[in-house]
Amino acid sequence: MKRSLRAADEEELVRRTAAGDRRAFDELYRRTSPWLLTRLRRRCTDDDVVADVMQETYLAVWRAAGSFAGAATSGSAAGWLWTIAAHRLVDAFRRRARQNQLPAVPLVESVAPAAEDEVMAGRVGQELEQALLVLPAEARQVLRAMVLDGLSVRETSLLLGVPENTVKSRARRARIALREALS
């Protein structure tokens, strides 16, 4: 006659779980889940991750109990259970790291611009283009480097081979000329 579940040790409960005994699995969970939960919480403060790891661990125990019960292991069932949980926790940390490394997806504006806005943008773009053509070549070079390429005054100075103060004065004169041409 089989011993009662209360008298069975964890190894016996795992063997019975491997045979499909749901009551043995429930007893194994009742005995081991408190200490397993405590150990996981010492390593992870996110309760959602811990709950997921607990669920994945006991699901793996239910599915793989035969691998412990059938093996001639010198380890304990509790050690086997902790090994499963530790691997699941590492997997959860890896998933979280991958999710945090994914680039943010920019949201696309779902509303199409109004026809008036498109016409005005085209008109302003044409006017700006005409105003830029009126500027001296050295002023256009400074604006192109600083505004379009996003270079600093120092970087523009190095690129064009002129002193920084010359870059600043050309940029100022170019802005004034553009403001007058566009007003």
Side-chain angles (χ1 to χ4, degrees), residues 2-183:
K2 293 185 179 179
R3 299 184 322 189
S4 74
L5 290 177
R6 296 233 182 246
D9 61 2
E10 284 80 15
E11 287 79 12
E12 177 66 24
L13 292 173
V14 172
R15 282 191 282 279
R16 288 184 182 186
T17 299
D21 187 343
R22 175 66 188 204
R23 288 185 22 230
F25 177 77
D26 291 343
E27 180 65 19
L28 180 67
Y29 179 82
R30 187 190 65 73
R31 286 188 197 178
T32 59
S33 63
W35 68 261
L36 184 60
L37 185 62
T38 301
R39 287 185 82 172
L40 288 171
R41 282 187 175 153
R42 284 186 202 146
R43 287 158 180 82
C44 179
T45 58
D46 187 335
D47 287 337
D48 292 334
V49 171
V50 170
D52 288 345
V53 169
M54 288 287 288
Q55 183 176 4
E56 291 173 13
T57 299
Y58 282 101
L59 182 61
V61 166
W62 177 257
R63 290 180 177 165
S67 67
F68 175 80
T73 60
S74 60
S76 68
W80 177 71
L81 186 66
W82 171 244
T83 301
I84 293 170
H87 285 110
R88 296 302 185 272
L89 185 60
V90 168
D91 291 343
F93 287 153
R94 286 180 181 150
R95 278 191 304 272
R96 179 184 280 177
R98 277 194 304 270
Q99 290 170 350
N100 290 339
Q101 291 174 355
L102 294 177
V105 178
L107 298 176
V108 178
E109 190 175 318
S110 60
V111 178
E116 302 90 27
D117 293 338
E118 288 183 3
V119 169
M120 287 303 292
R123 183 172 171 212
V124 169
Q126 290 173 351
E127 290 174 0
L128 181 60
E129 189 175 322
Q130 291 300 319
L132 284 171
L133 290 175
V134 175
L135 291 176
E138 57 271 353
R140 278 196 310 268
Q141 289 175 334
V142 167
L143 282 181
R144 183 177 296 125
M146 292 180 70
V147 176
L148 297 178
D149 297 337
L151 299 178
S152 68
V153 171
R154 167 171 256 155
E155 292 166 335
T156 302
S157 168
L158 292 172
L159 176 71
L160 299 177
V162 296
E164 288 181 36
N165 285 336
T166 303
V167 169
K168 290 177 187 178
S169 62
R170 287 180 183 174
R172 184 175 183 279
R173 283 195 301 261
R175 285 189 201 108
I176 291 170
L178 281 176
R179 191 176 306 125
E180 289 173 3
L182 294 172
S183 59

